[in-house]
Amino acid sequence: VAAQNCRKRKLNAILHLEEDVCNLQTQKESLKKEHSQCSRSISRMKQKLNNLYRDIFSRLRDDQGRPINPCQHIIHCSSDGSVFIIPKHLVNSEQREDNEKEQKQKS
């Protein structure tokens, strides 16, 4: 009787594990679909952002009325909603300084 009960518990455990495997496979497929949808959404947003970026730069002019080169400048949006056009070489030097400060703080 003890052996019979043990076999029954073992079979029940196996059945529960098989159910868990099926549930996890279903969840995995669902997560794959969600991931795919999110990836497509991100790609669309990136494309829209690139289009907006190009549109903005096509309308911008410097003090002499010449178009601003998007290869040499970036659009910077601050937390207070201000928008600035900044030369890339200034941004790169600021980023380097920030990175150096972070590395010193970690040491």
Side-chain angles (χ1 to χ4, degrees), residues 53-71:
Y53 194 81
R54 274 188 265 125
D55 185 45
I56 290 171
F57 269 105
S58 72
R59 298 168 189 244
L60 290 175
R61 301 286 182 257
D62 66 8
D63 295 338
Q64 287 80 35
R66 296 175 298 202
I68 293 179
N69 187 345
C71 296

Side-chain angles (χ1 to χ4, degrees), residues 17-101:
L17 289 173
E18 287 174 347
E19 288 175 7
D20 288 347
V21 168
C22 287
N23 290 336
L24 288 171
Q25 287 173 337
T26 303
Q27 185 179 7
K28 179 182 174 183
E29 290 303 315
S30 174
L31 289 171
K32 278 183 177 180
K33 287 178 185 176
E34 184 180 350
H35 180 267
S36 174
Q37 290 171 346
C38 289
S39 294
R40 283 193 302 274
S41 179
I42 288 170
S43 294
R44 283 192 301 271
M45 282 190 231
K46 283 181 179 180
Q47 185 61 45
K48 286 181 181 180
L49 182 61
N50 285 334
N51 291 343
L52 178 62
Y53 194 81
R54 274 188 265 125
D55 185 45
I56 290 171
F57 269 105
S58 72
R59 298 168 189 244
L60 290 175
R61 301 286 182 257
D62 66 8
D63 295 338
Q64 287 80 35
R66 296 175 298 202
I68 293 179
N69 187 345
C71 296
Q72 297 174 351
H73 295 81
I74 65 161
I75 298 172
H76 176 75
C77 302
S78 64
S79 59
D80 66 357
S82 302
V83 178
F84 302 98
I85 305 300
I86 303 173
K88 282 187 177 179
H89 70 275
L90 293 178
V91 174
N92 291 337
S93 64
E94 287 176 16
Q95 287 176 343
R96 271 187 255 121
E97 289 173 8
D98 289 344
N99 289 341
E100 288 173 4
K101 288 178 185 176

